[in-house]
Amino acid sequence: MGNNQYLIPANSKKSMLILGFFNPTDLIIFGTGLVLTFILLLTIKANSLKEAFFIISPGVIASFLVLPVPYHHNIRTFIKNIYMYYTSRRRFYWRGWCTNGKDK
């Protein structure tokens, strides 16, 4: 390793997360899904497998959204990045520092 090169550990931003896993939005989504599932479990009696799946679906969906994936924070940010890629402008115009060589 040469001079002035630093290696940043992979978990350097993990200390900024709640419980090392959640940012505030993730915690709200996960908590809402679990609370809604708990309320549904207390109020609805499941008579079939379809009803049971309906009752636990908010918790399953919320858990799926905050599940970590490589190179992204979690599936929610991965879905957001995919959405931003397909809905944003695809043609980029260079407006950088290169000029025709004449000073102003």
Side-chain angles (χ1 to χ4, degrees):
M1 195 183 287
N3 240 352
N4 296 329
Q5 292 180 352
Y6 299 99
L7 182 63
I8 299 171
N11 62 353
S12 64
K13 297 223 175 212
K14 196 170 186 177
S15 64
M16 298 169 58
L17 300 173
I18 300 167
L19 301 174
F21 189 71
F22 299 107
N23 63 26
T25 307
D26 296 334
L27 193 60
I28 290 169
I29 291 171
F30 187 63
T32 303
L34 291 182
V35 166
L36 188 58
T37 298
F38 185 69
I39 291 170
L40 289 173
L41 282 170
L42 291 176
T43 58
I44 299 175
K45 180 181 177 188
N47 295 325
S48 68
L49 190 59
K50 185 187 269 187
E51 290 176 2
F53 181 74
F54 171 75
I55 291 171
I56 65 167
S57 64
V60 171
I61 292 170
S63 299
F64 175 75
L65 288 174
V66 298
L67 187 73
V69 291
Y71 308 113
H72 297 276
H73 174 66
N74 56 23
I75 293 189
R76 185 181 62 85
T77 58
F78 179 65
I79 291 169
K80 182 178 105 178
N81 290 339
I82 290 172
Y83 174 77
M84 294 301 291
Y85 175 78
Y86 284 113
T87 59
S88 65
R89 182 175 62 170
R90 300 247 180 114
R91 173 167 262 161
F92 299 100
Y93 298 100
W94 175 255
R95 294 182 189 169
W97 50 267
C98 294
T99 63
N100 59 7
K102 297 179 183 177
D103 292 326
K104 293 184 179 181

